[in-house]
Amino acid sequence: MSMRPPQIVAFGGGGFSMESGNPLLDDYVLEATGVQRPKVCFIPTASGDADHYVVRFYRRFSAVADTSHVSLFRRDKGAGAVEGDLESHLLSQDLIYVGGGSVLSLLGTWRAHGMDTILKRAWRRGVMLCGLSAGSLCWFSEAITAFHGPPEPVRGLGLLPHSNCVHYDGEAERGEAFRDMIASGQLREGYAAEDGAALHFEGRELLRAVSSRPNARAFRVSTDGEHPLAVSYLGERAALAVA
């Protein structure tokens, strides 16, 4: 694998588990690896390694990528699950795709298994990281979760020195709490993405914002409010490529 800059694509919501029949965000991260048939590993920790989630991943990606998944709760034998040396496997991937669910459960489990250290190493090596919901929140220094009830702040892995809010259009209470916590200094300034929008970071800086839906939005949120970002709709690019 050639050395690539560290990259993270953080979905506000979307991808194969939220947008059946809309491949645009998933196609975007596959293309961004720069590999014709990339090695893609799915990490469904936030869902408790739910069987249906793993099956849906393979249905979406097995035809276009060399696929595998990591099961930390059950350490499944066979069926594509990684056995043995997790670190060597993850460091050899082109893309690591993290699913949604409980970010608190995800972070606690990762830290217990040393996955936080492995994923930081993979990021520095140029393995692209992406994910939605919990799989987006986890990469940031701080985030806001509403999975277990009212919105509350959570500390992430800190690869990106910003705060993050997902599902910004679909969960009004979460968005309001995010803005209030930044205004009060409880959270550092950061980014918010609606379902269908994704934030692509190179290193620790935002490279671009893209979307799988024509009107999906993303914002930089600071102490003085929210500031809309320019978002490129991927459907237009796909249509131009076909033409």
mmCIF file with all atom_site columns, all heavy atoms in Angstrom, residues 63-81:
data_model
loop_
_atom_site.group_PDB
_atom_site.id
_atom_site.type_symbol
_atom_site.label_atom_id
_atom_site.label_alt_id
_atom_site.label_comp_id
_atom_site.label_asym_id
_atom_site.label_entity_id
_atom_site.label_seq_id
_atom_site.pdbx_PDB_ins_code
_atom_site.Cartn_x
_atom_site.Cartn_y
_atom_site.Cartn_z
_atom_site.occupancy
_atom_site.B_iso_or_equiv
_atom_site.pdbx_formal_charge
_atom_site.auth_seq_id
_atom_site.auth_comp_id
_atom_site.auth_asym_id
_atom_site.auth_atom_id
_atom_site.pdbx_PDB_model_num
ATOM 1   N N   . ALA A 1 63 ? -19.018 -7.344  -4.012 1.00 0.00 ? 63 ALA A N   1
ATOM 2   C CA  . ALA A 1 63 ? -18.822 -7.383  -5.460 1.00 0.00 ? 63 ALA A CA  1
ATOM 3   C C   . ALA A 1 63 ? -17.774 -6.389  -5.940 1.00 0.00 ? 63 ALA A C   1
ATOM 4   O O   . ALA A 1 63 ? -17.242 -6.534  -7.041 1.00 0.00 ? 63 ALA A O   1
ATOM 5   C CB  . ALA A 1 63 ? -20.142 -7.112  -6.182 1.00 0.00 ? 63 ALA A CB  1
ATOM 6   N N   . VAL A 1 64 ? -17.467 -5.384  -5.118 1.00 0.00 ? 64 VAL A N   1
ATOM 7   C CA  . VAL A 1 64 ? -16.582 -4.305  -5.573 1.00 0.00 ? 64 VAL A CA  1
ATOM 8   C C   . VAL A 1 64 ? -15.331 -4.162  -4.715 1.00 0.00 ? 64 VAL A C   1
ATOM 9   O O   . VAL A 1 64 ? -14.483 -3.308  -4.994 1.00 0.00 ? 64 VAL A O   1
ATOM 10  C CB  . VAL A 1 64 ? -17.335 -2.957  -5.602 1.00 0.00 ? 64 VAL A CB  1
ATOM 11  C CG1 . VAL A 1 64 ? -18.427 -2.984  -6.667 1.00 0.00 ? 64 VAL A CG1 1
ATOM 12  C CG2 . VAL A 1 64 ? -17.918 -2.622  -4.233 1.00 0.00 ? 64 VAL A CG2 1
ATOM 13  N N   . ALA A 1 65 ? -15.188 -4.981  -3.674 1.00 0.00 ? 65 ALA A N   1
ATOM 14  C CA  . ALA A 1 65 ? -14.053 -4.841  -2.764 1.00 0.00 ? 65 ALA A CA  1
ATOM 15  C C   . ALA A 1 65 ? -13.708 -6.194  -2.150 1.00 0.00 ? 65 ALA A C   1
ATOM 16  O O   . ALA A 1 65 ? -14.519 -7.125  -2.169 1.00 0.00 ? 65 ALA A O   1
ATOM 17  C CB  . ALA A 1 65 ? -14.376 -3.832  -1.666 1.00 0.00 ? 65 ALA A CB  1
ATOM 18  N N   . ASP A 1 66 ? -12.490 -6.288  -1.620 1.00 0.00 ? 66 ASP A N   1
ATOM 19  C CA  . ASP A 1 66 ? -12.100 -7.450  -0.824 1.00 0.00 ? 66 ASP A CA  1
ATOM 20  C C   . ASP A 1 66 ? -12.530 -7.161  0.607  1.00 0.00 ? 66 ASP A C   1
ATOM 21  O O   . ASP A 1 66 ? -11.971 -6.265  1.262  1.00 0.00 ? 66 ASP A O   1
ATOM 22  C CB  . ASP A 1 66 ? -10.587 -7.679  -0.908 1.00 0.00 ? 66 ASP A CB  1
ATOM 23  C CG  . ASP A 1 66 ? -10.150 -8.073  -2.311 1.00 0.00 ? 66 ASP A CG  1
ATOM 24  O OD1 . ASP A 1 66 ? -10.990 -8.597  -3.069 1.00 0.00 ? 66 ASP A OD1 1
ATOM 25  O OD2 . ASP A 1 66 ? -8.979  -7.844  -2.649 1.00 0.00 ? 66 ASP A OD2 1
ATOM 26  N N   . THR A 1 67 ? -13.529 -7.884  1.080  1.00 0.00 ? 67 THR A N   1
ATOM 27  C CA  . THR A 1 67 ? -14.234 -7.508  2.298  1.00 0.00 ? 67 THR A CA  1
ATOM 28  C C   . THR A 1 67 ? -13.904 -8.402  3.494  1.00 0.00 ? 67 THR A C   1
ATOM 29  O O   . THR A 1 67 ? -13.582 -9.582  3.348  1.00 0.00 ? 67 THR A O   1
ATOM 30  C CB  . THR A 1 67 ? -15.756 -7.554  2.062  1.00 0.00 ? 67 THR A CB  1
ATOM 31  O OG1 . THR A 1 67 ? -16.086 -8.805  1.437  1.00 0.00 ? 67 THR A OG1 1
ATOM 32  C CG2 . THR A 1 67 ? -16.199 -6.412  1.162  1.00 0.00 ? 67 THR A CG2 1
ATOM 33  N N   . SER A 1 68 ? -14.025 -7.803  4.681  1.00 0.00 ? 68 SER A N   1
ATOM 34  C CA  . SER A 1 68 ? -13.879 -8.524  5.941  1.00 0.00 ? 68 SER A CA  1
ATOM 35  C C   . SER A 1 68 ? -14.582 -7.703  7.007  1.00 0.00 ? 68 SER A C   1
ATOM 36  O O   . SER A 1 68 ? -15.002 -6.566  6.764  1.00 0.00 ? 68 SER A O   1
ATOM 37  C CB  . SER A 1 68 ? -12.392 -8.700  6.295  1.00 0.00 ? 68 SER A CB  1
ATOM 38  O OG  . SER A 1 68 ? -11.754 -7.432  6.411  1.00 0.00 ? 68 SER A OG  1
ATOM 39  N N   . HIS A 1 69 ? -14.732 -8.284  8.198  1.00 0.00 ? 69 HIS A N   1
ATOM 40  C CA  . HIS A 1 69 ? -15.276 -7.510  9.305  1.00 0.00 ? 69 HIS A CA  1
ATOM 41  C C   . HIS A 1 69 ? -14.621 -7.937  10.611 1.00 0.00 ? 69 HIS A C   1
ATOM 42  O O   . HIS A 1 69 ? -14.077 -9.038  10.714 1.00 0.00 ? 69 HIS A O   1
ATOM 43  C CB  . HIS A 1 69 ? -16.799 -7.635  9.392  1.00 0.00 ? 69 HIS A CB  1
ATOM 44  C CG  . HIS A 1 69 ? -17.303 -8.939  9.921  1.00 0.00 ? 69 HIS A CG  1
ATOM 45  N ND1 . HIS A 1 69 ? -17.407 -10.075 9.140  1.00 0.00 ? 69 HIS A ND1 1
ATOM 46  C CD2 . HIS A 1 69 ? -17.733 -9.302  11.161 1.00 0.00 ? 69 HIS A CD2 1
ATOM 47  C CE1 . HIS A 1 69 ? -17.888 -11.063 9.867  1.00 0.00 ? 69 HIS A CE1 1
ATOM 48  N NE2 . HIS A 1 69 ? -18.083 -10.628 11.102 1.00 0.00 ? 69 HIS A NE2 1
ATOM 49  N N   . VAL A 1 70 ? -14.697 -7.047  11.593 1.00 0.00 ? 70 VAL A N   1
ATOM 50  C CA  . VAL A 1 70 ? -14.156 -7.308  12.923 1.00 0.00 ? 70 VAL A CA  1
ATOM 51  C C   . VAL A 1 70 ? -15.317 -7.479  13.892 1.00 0.00 ? 70 VAL A C   1
ATOM 52  O O   . VAL A 1 70 ? -16.195 -6.617  13.976 1.00 0.00 ? 70 VAL A O   1
ATOM 53  C CB  . VAL A 1 70 ? -13.241 -6.163  13.387 1.00 0.00 ? 70 VAL A CB  1
ATOM 54  C CG1 . VAL A 1 70 ? -12.913 -6.301  14.870 1.00 0.00 ? 70 VAL A CG1 1
ATOM 55  C CG2 . VAL A 1 70 ? -11.960 -6.143  12.565 1.00 0.00 ? 70 VAL A CG2 1
ATOM 56  N N   . SER A 1 71 ? -15.330 -8.583  14.612 1.00 0.00 ? 71 SER A N   1
ATOM 57  C CA  . SER A 1 71 ? -16.351 -8.842  15.619 1.00 0.00 ? 71 SER A CA  1
ATOM 58  C C   . SER A 1 71 ? -15.671 -8.911  16.989 1.00 0.00 ? 71 SER A C   1
ATOM 59  O O   . SER A 1 71 ? -14.978 -9.878  17.293 1.00 0.00 ? 71 SER A O   1
ATOM 60  C CB  . SER A 1 71 ? -17.076 -10.168 15.316 1.00 0.00 ? 71 SER A CB  1
ATOM 61  O OG  . SER A 1 71 ? -18.022 -10.458 16.312 1.00 0.00 ? 71 SER A OG  1
ATOM 62  N N   . LEU A 1 72 ? -15.852 -7.885  17.794 1.00 0.00 ? 72 LEU A N   1
ATOM 63  C CA  . LEU A 1 72 ? -15.224 -7.843  19.109 1.00 0.00 ? 72 LEU A CA  1
ATOM 64  C C   . LEU A 1 72 ? -16.078 -8.486  20.190 1.00 0.00 ? 72 LEU A C   1
ATOM 65  O O   . LEU A 1 72 ? -15.559 -8.956  21.193 1.00 0.00 ? 72 LEU A O   1
ATOM 66  C CB  . LEU A 1 72 ? -14.924 -6.391  19.499 1.00 0.00 ? 72 LEU A CB  1
ATOM 67  C CG  . LEU A 1 72 ? -13.889 -5.673  18.640 1.00 0.00 ? 72 LEU A CG  1
ATOM 68  C CD1 . LEU A 1 72 ? -13.751 -4.222  19.083 1.00 0.00 ? 72 LEU A CD1 1
ATOM 69  C CD2 . LEU A 1 72 ? -12.542 -6.380  18.706 1.00 0.00 ? 72 LEU A CD2 1
ATOM 70  N N   . PHE A 1 73 ? -17.395 -8.503  19.986 1.00 0.00 ? 73 PHE A N   1
ATOM 71  C CA  . PHE A 1 73 ? -18.272 -9.073  21.007 1.00 0.00 ? 73 PHE A CA  1
ATOM 72  C C   . PHE A 1 73 ? -18.303 -10.592 20.965 1.00 0.00 ? 73 PHE A C   1
ATOM 73  O O   . PHE A 1 73 ? -18.344 -11.254 21.998 1.00 0.00 ? 73 PHE A O   1
ATOM 74  C CB  . PHE A 1 73 ? -19.696 -8.516  20.866 1.00 0.00 ? 73 PHE A CB  1
ATOM 75  C CG  . PHE A 1 73 ? -19.835 -7.110  21.352 1.00 0.00 ? 73 PHE A CG  1
ATOM 76  C CD1 . PHE A 1 73 ? -19.809 -6.047  20.468 1.00 0.00 ? 73 PHE A CD1 1
ATOM 77  C CD2 . PHE A 1 73 ? -19.963 -6.833  22.702 1.00 0.00 ? 73 PHE A CD2 1
ATOM 78  C CE1 . PHE A 1 73 ? -19.933 -4.741  20.909 1.00 0.00 ? 73 PHE A CE1 1
ATOM 79  C CE2 . PHE A 1 73 ? -20.080 -5.533  23.167 1.00 0.00 ? 73 PHE A CE2 1
ATOM 80  C CZ  . PHE A 1 73 ? -20.065 -4.484  22.273 1.00 0.00 ? 73 PHE A CZ  1
ATOM 81  N N   . ARG A 1 74 ? -18.271 -11.134 19.737 1.00 0.00 ? 74 ARG A N   1
ATOM 82  C CA  . ARG A 1 74 ? -18.403 -12.592 19.631 1.00 0.00 ? 74 ARG A CA  1
ATOM 83  C C   . ARG A 1 74 ? -17.190 -13.251 18.999 1.00 0.00 ? 74 ARG A C   1
ATOM 84  O O   . ARG A 1 74 ? -17.045 -14.459 19.080 1.00 0.00 ? 74 ARG A O   1
ATOM 85  C CB  . ARG A 1 74 ? -19.656 -12.932 18.818 1.00 0.00 ? 74 ARG A CB  1
ATOM 86  C CG  . ARG A 1 74 ? -20.933 -12.563 19.565 1.00 0.00 ? 74 ARG A CG  1
ATOM 87  C CD  . ARG A 1 74 ? -22.150 -12.842 18.728 1.00 0.00 ? 74 ARG A CD  1
ATOM 88  N NE  . ARG A 1 74 ? -22.181 -11.993 17.517 1.00 0.00 ? 74 ARG A NE  1
ATOM 89  C CZ  . ARG A 1 74 ? -23.165 -12.006 16.647 1.00 0.00 ? 74 ARG A CZ  1
ATOM 90  N NH1 . ARG A 1 74 ? -24.186 -12.818 16.822 1.00 0.00 ? 74 ARG A NH1 1
ATOM 91  N NH2 . ARG A 1 74 ? -23.144 -11.215 15.592 1.00 0.00 ? 74 ARG A NH2 1
ATOM 92  N N   . ARG A 1 75 ? -16.327 -12.443 18.365 1.00 0.00 ? 75 ARG A N   1
ATOM 93  C CA  . ARG A 1 75 ? -15.165 -12.984 17.669 1.00 0.00 ? 75 ARG A CA  1
ATOM 94  C C   . ARG A 1 75 ? -15.560 -14.180 16.812 1.00 0.00 ? 75 ARG A C   1
ATOM 95  O O   . ARG A 1 75 ? -15.028 -15.287 16.936 1.00 0.00 ? 75 ARG A O   1
ATOM 96  C CB  . ARG A 1 75 ? -14.044 -13.356 18.652 1.00 0.00 ? 75 ARG A CB  1
ATOM 97  C CG  . ARG A 1 75 ? -13.543 -12.218 19.480 1.00 0.00 ? 75 ARG A CG  1
ATOM 98  C CD  . ARG A 1 75 ? -13.037 -11.050 18.619 1.00 0.00 ? 75 ARG A CD  1
ATOM 99  N NE  . ARG A 1 75 ? -11.856 -11.408 17.857 1.00 0.00 ? 75 ARG A NE  1
ATOM 100 C CZ  . ARG A 1 75 ? -10.609 -11.230 18.296 1.00 0.00 ? 75 ARG A CZ  1
ATOM 101 N NH1 . ARG A 1 75 ? -10.407 -10.720 19.492 1.00 0.00 ? 75 ARG A NH1 1
ATOM 102 N NH2 . ARG A 1 75 ? -9.577  -11.546 17.546 1.00 0.00 ? 75 ARG A NH2 1
ATOM 103 N N   . ASP A 1 76 ? -16.547 -13.944 15.948 1.00 0.00 ? 76 ASP A N   1
ATOM 104 C CA  . ASP A 1 76 ? -17.079 -14.993 15.074 1.00 0.00 ? 76 ASP A CA  1
ATOM 105 C C   . ASP A 1 76 ? -15.957 -15.712 14.332 1.00 0.00 ? 76 ASP A C   1
ATOM 106 O O   . ASP A 1 76 ? -14.992 -15.104 13.892 1.00 0.00 ? 76 ASP A O   1
ATOM 107 C CB  . ASP A 1 76 ? -18.012 -14.388 14.016 1.00 0.00 ? 76 ASP A CB  1
ATOM 108 C CG  . ASP A 1 76 ? -19.162 -13.647 14.650 1.00 0.00 ? 76 ASP A CG  1
ATOM 109 O OD1 . ASP A 1 76 ? -19.573 -14.035 15.745 1.00 0.00 ? 76 ASP A OD1 1
ATOM 110 O OD2 . ASP A 1 76 ? -19.634 -12.675 14.041 1.00 0.00 ? 76 ASP A OD2 1
ATOM 111 N N   . LYS A 1 77 ? -16.100 -16.998 14.184 1.00 0.00 ? 77 LYS A N   1
ATOM 112 C CA  . LYS A 1 77 ? -15.155 -17.776 13.394 1.00 0.00 ? 77 LYS A CA  1
ATOM 113 C C   . LYS A 1 77 ? -15.719 -17.954 11.992 1.00 0.00 ? 77 LYS A C   1
ATOM 114 O O   . LYS A 1 77 ? -16.885 -18.329 11.814 1.00 0.00 ? 77 LYS A O   1
ATOM 115 C CB  . LYS A 1 77 ? -14.904 -19.146 14.036 1.00 0.00 ? 77 LYS A CB  1
ATOM 116 C CG  . LYS A 1 77 ? -14.340 -19.060 15.458 1.00 0.00 ? 77 LYS A CG  1
ATOM 117 C CD  . LYS A 1 77 ? -12.995 -18.341 15.488 1.00 0.00 ? 77 LYS A CD  1
ATOM 118 C CE  . LYS A 1 77 ? -12.432 -18.279 16.898 1.00 0.00 ? 77 LYS A CE  1
ATOM 119 N NZ  . LYS A 1 77 ? -11.161 -17.536 16.936 1.00 0.00 ? 77 LYS A NZ  1
ATOM 120 N N   . GLY A 1 78 ? -14.894 -17.684 11.005 1.00 0.00 ? 78 GLY A N   1
ATOM 121 C CA  . GLY A 1 78 ? -15.357 -17.818 9.633  1.00 0.00 ? 78 GLY A CA  1
ATOM 122 C C   . GLY A 1 78 ? -16.266 -16.681 9.231  1.00 0.00 ? 78 GLY A C   1
ATOM 123 O O   . GLY A 1 78 ? -16.340 -15.648 9.874  1.00 0.00 ? 78 GLY A O   1
ATOM 124 N N   . ALA A 1 79 ? -16.947 -16.844 8.132  1.00 0.00 ? 79 ALA A N   1
ATOM 125 C CA  . ALA A 1 79 ? -17.916 -15.873 7.609  1.00 0.00 ? 79 ALA A CA  1
ATOM 126 C C   . ALA A 1 79 ? -17.300 -14.505 7.387  1.00 0.00 ? 79 ALA A C   1
ATOM 127 O O   . ALA A 1 79 ? -17.977 -13.497 7.457  1.00 0.00 ? 79 ALA A O   1
ATOM 128 C CB  . ALA A 1 79 ? -19.134 -15.775 8.540  1.00 0.00 ? 79 ALA A CB  1
ATOM 129 N N   . GLY A 1 80 ? -15.987 -14.460 7.125  1.00 0.00 ? 80 GLY A N   1
ATOM 130 C CA  . GLY A 1 80 ? -15.325 -13.198 6.836  1.00 0.00 ? 80 GLY A CA  1
ATOM 131 C C   . GLY A 1 80 ? -14.767 -12.463 8.019  1.00 0.00 ? 80 GLY A C   1
ATOM 132 O O   . GLY A 1 80 ? -14.083 -11.459 7.861  1.00 0.00 ? 80 GLY A O   1
ATOM 133 N N   . ALA A 1 81 ? -15.077 -12.895 9.240  1.00 0.00 ? 81 ALA A N   1
ATOM 134 C CA  . ALA A 1 81 ? -14.585 -12.193 10.425 1.00 0.00 ? 81 ALA A CA  1
ATOM 135 C C   . ALA A 1 81 ? -13.077 -12.366 10.561 1.00 0.00 ? 81 ALA A C   1
ATOM 136 O O   . ALA A 1 81 ? -12.521 -13.426 10.287 1.00 0.00 ? 81 ALA A O   1
ATOM 137 C CB  . ALA A 1 81 ? -15.282 -12.715 11.681 1.00 0.00 ? 81 ALA A CB  1
#
